[in-house]
Amino acid sequence: MAKPAASKQGTGSLSLLIILMAGLFVAILNQTLLNVAMPHLMTEFNVSATTIQWLTTGYMLVNGVLIPLSAFLITRFGQRSLFLVAMISFTLGTFICGIAPNFSTMLIGRLIQQSVAVSYSRLS
């Protein structure tokens, strides 16, 4: 016997909600985890505390610029395509941070991560 259409839609909505919440959780976790890693990163990249703070400052500056822009992007490109691009770009930014040989590369990876993390919070 076939399932009713409402049951299939409920399952699809639940899986979409789980995916969106997981993406939002990772984006928020990414914002807070860096504070714990800063002393290690200062040693690893041989930079001062004021320099390493740019990882957080740049992250928040990009956040402030892109929050107003995200409403336009959602309207222009749609939620689904924007979310897919955001997930791929966030993964790319994380990969860049993971292989960063120097501070500049790490900063670029962080800025890429934040440029799409704004989309997560607006889509959820």
Side-chain angles (χ1 to χ4, degrees):
M1 186 167 164
K3 289 187 176 181
S7 176
K8 289 180 182 179
Q9 184 180 9
T11 304
S13 297
L14 180 61
S15 61
L16 178 62
L17 179 64
I18 290 170
I19 291 169
L20 284 173
M21 293 303 293
L24 182 60
F25 173 75
V26 169
I28 291 172
L29 184 66
N30 189 38
Q31 290 177 354
T32 58
L33 283 179
L34 186 65
N35 293 330
V36 177
M38 279 187 182
H40 176 70
L41 292 173
M42 287 170 51
T43 305
E44 183 71 27
F45 295 130
N46 196 25
V47 294
S48 67
T50 55
T51 303
I52 207 75
Q53 275 299 119
W54 274 104
L55 293 175
T56 303
T57 304
Y59 199 78
M60 292 304 164
L61 284 171
V62 170
N63 191 29
V65 169
L66 289 181
I67 284 177
L69 184 62
S70 63
F72 168 75
L73 293 174
I74 290 170
T75 304
R76 175 85 165 102
F77 298 108
Q79 291 181 344
R80 183 182 182 106
S81 60
L82 188 61
F83 183 76
L84 290 173
V85 168
M87 289 291 283
I88 292 166
S89 300
F90 187 83
T91 305
L92 175 67
T94 302
F95 178 73
I96 291 170
C97 287
I99 63 167
N102 55 34
F103 176 76
S104 300
T105 308
M106 174 71 88
L107 182 60
I108 289 169
R110 288 288 291 170
L111 296 178
I112 291 171
Q113 285 177 332
Q114 181 56 22
S115 66
V116 296
V118 170
S119 300
Y120 290 147
S121 60
R122 297 292 292 184
L123 289 171
S124 297

